[in-house]
């Protein structure tokens, strides 16, 4: 524990919670003295019993004796559970060094009660004589956090208010915005004292906890699952680098409409949307741009500052099309006023979310679009909307009405772990002058490698991702994107 406390200090923690119930052989007098006196940081002693979700299973009187000892030894904070707080306070009879603060805690591992019930709990805890109120509940849905924020903001006493579990992550970060007394971070990923705890490193370096204040604007990526998303790394670093007072969170959302109606305050300002919520996101917008309307999905939502209306955009296509245009310009020197895609035969493989974005994007730029998809019906439907031709992937092998065509793969064929798969055989690639692959894991897919071998210019999927990040950053902040920084962060995190 002493080694870990040192580690916590090095990682940037302000104080350490010492969970003595996790010690295998705990002899209070000997161990507490060492732990409290030798800690490099202020200490919080917690001796959590089984009946409150902890590890201690022995006699209650011995446990409370150890807590009294921690007070006597001058631990900066001592945690006492609400269920026994009244008796505990009577037992110390006001004998407590001034600097020792008692946290009275209540844990709910099942759910998060109503605002009224949490408020009532705060009052009950306060009535025991607590210096600091601690309430931890469990998130069954991301909207549960809102009730904790409401109580935190209105609390007249110092309060720790956290919502446990994966869906409660935002409470552990935004507590800094809503005036929470502290938040817990783990020293190592996964070694947590309560479900959903982030690491100290993530709190400080990824979410920039120390920069969060009451006026920090909230952004995030709405999806399910969302834990793997690289977007928080990218946007938080970018916000910090330009001094923008914003935070960007992974938002594990089950029902978009519920999320949007719950977090309706002007502080919730911008979102990215990912699988499977792009279509539901569109339904929650007050206004939608024509491309997103045509695609039937949004990738970005902004709360308009002037009237609070929610604006939906689909910027997926901007990313990919921008990257393709850039590569084409580099190779043929088209003037900036004309899209180098105009008039080109543009073959899109796939007709899912990314396929639609690419097909509409190509159509917007004046390309002649061909949609090739495993399921012909979907190709036909999409092609009819962009005035193009439809075929199956099998038919595409023998399709080469002209040379120098542009190819975009938006199927998931060739994505990790099946990196030896490819959606189109190498022989067919010689008819293309440029090949783009939306897949970005791996960066160099078999399709791109073979296209390169056939002499085509290649455009990586990471370029699509990065370009749409530039666009979203500018929409979120109204500032030019720090492009090199975003590239560097992405390179470090993929
Ligand atoms: P989606 O909506 O699920 O569409 C998947 C597409 O892949 C469909 O056209 C599907 O054809 C086709 N497909 C799947 N398995 C196939 C197989 N075994 N053989 C032939 N075709 C197959 O997915 P999405 O959102 O469009 O994403 C597709 C890919 O693009 C993913 O790899 C994703 O990572 C990537 N992507 C990248 C970015 C970026 O920023 N670079 C952004 C979005 C997506 P059917 O219609 O026949 O099922």
């Amino acid at each position: 524990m002493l080694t870990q406390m040192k580690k916590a200090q090095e990682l940037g923690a302000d104080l350490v919670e010492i969970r003595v119930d996790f010690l295998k052989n705990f002899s209070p007098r000997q161990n507490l003295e060492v732990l409290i006196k030798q800690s490099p940081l202020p200490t919080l002693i917690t001796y959590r019993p089984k009946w409150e979700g902890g590890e201690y299973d022995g006699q209650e009187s011995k446990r409370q004796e150890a807590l009294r000892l921690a007070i006597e030894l001058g631990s900066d904070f001592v945690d006492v559970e609400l269920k026994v707080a009244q008796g505990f306070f009577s037992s110390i009879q006001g004998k407590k060094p001034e600097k020792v603060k008692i946290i009275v805690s209540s844990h709910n591992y099942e759910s998060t009660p109503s605002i009224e019930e949490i408020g009532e709990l705060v009052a009950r805890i306060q009535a025991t004589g607590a210096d600091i109120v601690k309430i931890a509940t469990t998130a069954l849905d991301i909207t549960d956090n809102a009730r904790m924020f409401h109580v935190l903001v209105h609390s007249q006493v110092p309060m720790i208010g956290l919502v446990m579990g994966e869906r409660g992550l935002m409470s552990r970060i935004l507590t800094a915005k809503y005036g929470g007394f502290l938040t817990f971070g783990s020293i190592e990923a996964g070694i947590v004292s309560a479900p959903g705890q982030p690491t100290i490193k993530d709190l400080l370096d990824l979410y920039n906890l120390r920069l969060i204040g009451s006026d920090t604007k909230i952004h995030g990526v709405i999806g399910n699952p969302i834990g793997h998303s690289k977007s928080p790394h990218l946007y938080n670093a970018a916000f910090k680098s330009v001094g923008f007072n914003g935070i960007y969170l992974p938002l594990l959302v089950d029902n978009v409409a519920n999320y949007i109606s719950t977090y309706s305050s002007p502080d919730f300002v911008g979102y990215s949307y990912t699988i499977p919520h792009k279509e539901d996101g569109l339904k929650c917008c007050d206004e939608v741009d024509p491309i997103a309307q045509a695609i039937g999905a949004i990738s970005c939502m902004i709360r308009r500052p002037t009237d609070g209306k929610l604006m939906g955009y689909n910027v997926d296509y901007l990313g990919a099309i921008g990257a393709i245009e850039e590569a084409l310009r580099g190779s043929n020197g088209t003037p900036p006023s004309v899209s180098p895609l105009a008039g080109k035969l543009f073959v899109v493989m796939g007709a899912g979310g990314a396929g639609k974005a690419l097909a509409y994007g190509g159509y917007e730029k004046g390309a002649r679009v061909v949609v090739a998809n495993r399921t012909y019906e979907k190709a036909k439907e999409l092609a009819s909307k962009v005035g193009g031709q439809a075929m199956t992937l099998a038919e595409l092998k023998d399709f080469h009405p002209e040379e120098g065509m542009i190819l975009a793969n938006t199927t998931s064929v060739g994505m990790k772990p099946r990196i030896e798969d490819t959606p189109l055989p190498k022989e067919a690639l010689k008819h293309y002058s440029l090949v783009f692959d939306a897949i970005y894991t791996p960066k160099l897919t078999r399709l791109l490698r073979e296209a390169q071998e056939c002499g085509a210019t290649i455009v990586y999927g990471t370029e699509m991702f990065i370009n749409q990040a530039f666009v979203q950053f500018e929409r979120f902040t109204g500032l030019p994107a720090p492009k090199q920084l975003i590239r560097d962060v992405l390179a470090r995190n993929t």
Side-chain angles (χ1 to χ4, degrees):
M1 272 187 168
L2 285 170
T3 313
Q4 286 192 321
M5 288 189 220
K6 187 92 190 57
K7 186 95 191 286
Q9 184 192 34
E10 285 161 12
L11 288 167
D14 299 307
L15 73 121
V16 279
E17 180 184 44
I18 303 173
R19 285 290 299 266
V20 290
D21 52 305
F22 278 86
L23 282 176
K24 284 213 176 66
N25 301 305
F26 176 48
S27 29
R29 188 148 290 279
Q30 258 175 323
N31 298 155
L32 280 176
E33 172 118 33
V34 172
L35 289 167
I36 295 169
K37 297 275 149 67
Q38 293 187 24
S39 170
L41 291 170
T43 54
L44 154 58
I45 297 290
T46 302
Y47 199 4
R48 190 80 69 228
K50 281 257 192 239
W51 49 260
E52 186 78 10
E55 294 291 308
Y56 180 75
D57 206 10
Q59 260 178 15
E60 179 61 15
S61 59
K62 290 213 167 127
R63 192 180 74 88
Q64 291 194 25
E65 206 173 296
L67 293 177
R68 279 191 292 274
L69 186 60
I71 294 175
E72 203 179 292
L73 289 167
S75 174
D76 303 81
F77 302 92
V78 174
D79 183 304
V80 179
E81 298 72 19
L82 172 64
K83 282 180 195 144
V84 297
Q86 215 166 11
F88 184 79
F89 274 104
S90 320
S91 78
I92 59 172
Q93 297 168 332
K95 278 189 281 172
K96 145 174 114 64
E98 185 54 32
K99 70 165 274 228
V100 179
K101 305 284 178 220
I102 308 281
I103 298 175
V104 175
S105 62
S106 166
H107 300 79
N108 181 335
Y109 294 96
E110 310 273 293
S111 62
T112 300
S114 66
I115 290 175
E116 293 69 29
E117 284 168 293
I118 306 174
E120 196 188 297
L121 197 55
V122 172
R124 273 174 50 212
I125 292 178
Q126 229 181 316
T128 63
D131 295 303
I132 295 148
V133 170
K134 177 185 173 190
I135 297 177
T137 61
T138 297
L140 302 178
D141 188 85
I142 194 164
T143 55
D144 293 347
N145 297 286
R147 302 198 287 285
M148 190 60 84
F149 296 151
H150 184 95
V151 176
L152 263 183
V153 158
H154 293 96
S155 176
Q156 304 292 322
V157 277
M159 176 176 171
I160 302 165
L162 299 168
V163 187
M164 299 181 281
E166 203 185 354
R167 287 167 171 76
L169 176 69
M170 73 189 305
S171 78
R172 298 184 176 275
I173 298 156
L174 295 182
T175 191
K177 175 178 171 71
Y178 294 109
F181 185 74
L182 59 73
T183 191
F184 295 88
S186 71
I187 293 169
E188 272 174 61
I191 310 209
V192 296
S193 59
Q197 252 170 29
T199 59
I200 303 174
K201 191 172 179 336
D202 278 358
L203 285 172
L204 296 180
D205 299 345
L206 168 56
Y207 299 115
N208 302 321
L209 189 78
R210 296 208 195 277
L211 300 179
I212 300 175
S214 57
D215 48 358
T216 299
K217 298 285 183 212
I218 300 157
H219 310 73
V221 53
I222 292 184
N224 191 347
I226 202 62
H228 65 285
S229 175
K230 302 292 174 210
S231 298
H233 290 270
L234 229 151
Y235 291 102
N236 286 316
F239 287 169
K240 187 178 173 188
S241 79
V242 301
F244 177 74
N245 188 4
I247 168 91
Y248 188 101
L249 300 166
L251 300 167
L252 180 59
V253 168
D254 297 288
N255 181 308
V256 181
N258 286 349
Y259 175 89
I260 293 293
S261 62
T262 302
Y263 297 102
S264 58
S265 95
D267 280 350
F268 288 79
V269 296
Y271 303 109
S272 314
Y273 275 80
T274 186
I275 293 168
H277 290 322
K278 292 184 170 203
E279 288 80 15
D280 284 350
L282 183 134
K283 293 186 198 131
C284 295
C285 294
D286 296 306
E287 288 177 30
V288 177
D289 82 354
I291 284 266
Q293 195 69 266
I295 295 172
I298 60 165
S299 66
C300 176
M301 182 193 261
I302 309 283
R303 188 182 301 281
R304 194 160 53 197
T306 47
D307 57 5
K309 289 248 186 314
L310 293 172
M311 316 292 297
Y313 305 94
N314 196 311
V315 296
D316 280 349
Y317 83 97
L318 289 176
I321 296 287
I324 293 170
E325 284 182 324
E326 209 173 293
L328 284 174
R329 275 212 179 86
S331 59
N332 71 5
T334 327
S337 55
V338 182
S339 169
L341 268 170
K344 286 269 179 1
L345 199 59
F346 183 48
V347 178
V348 177
M349 293 191 285
K356 284 180 188 154
L358 264 294
Y360 277 101
Y363 171 63
E364 271 266 303
K365 299 291 182 182
R368 293 171 288 141
V369 179
V370 174
V371 181
N373 194 43
R374 177 178 62 179
T375 312
Y376 176 71
E377 287 310 309
K378 285 202 212 160
K380 202 169 136 201
E381 197 187 331
L382 178 57
S384 72
K385 290 188 180 151
V386 296
Q389 196 178 341
M391 65 187 65
T392 61
L393 276 179
E395 287 166 332
L396 185 64
K397 285 181 202 141
D398 303 314
F399 176 80
H400 46 87
E402 60 191 59
E403 299 303 313
M405 301 182 287
I406 316 287
L407 180 67
N409 174 43
T410 72
T411 74
S412 43
V413 181
M415 192 164 78
K416 256 185 191 170
R418 304 192 52 172
I419 57 168
E420 270 315 306
D421 291 355
T422 189
L424 197 62
K426 188 173 177 182
E427 313 80 80
L429 296 175
K430 58 179 187 285
H431 307 292
Y432 294 90
S433 61
L434 182 145
V435 177
F436 162 78
D437 200 336
I439 292 171
Y440 56 90
T441 49
K443 184 174 175 182
L444 184 65
T445 56
R446 176 172 165 193
L447 176 75
L448 289 183
R449 195 182 67 231
E450 292 182 345
Q452 204 165 33
E453 285 162 9
C454 292
T457 302
I458 60 166
V459 177
Y460 297 112
T462 44
E463 288 302 304
M464 171 173 182
F465 184 76
I466 230 161
N467 268 304
Q468 57 87 19
F470 296 162
V471 175
Q472 288 198 57
F473 179 91
E474 289 169 11
R475 300 241 160 123
F476 289 151
T477 63
L479 301 167
K483 294 189 174 176
Q484 193 52 48
L485 177 124
I486 290 178
R487 283 186 184 280
D488 293 347
V489 175
L490 192 67
R492 273 203 306 277
N493 288 287
T494 46

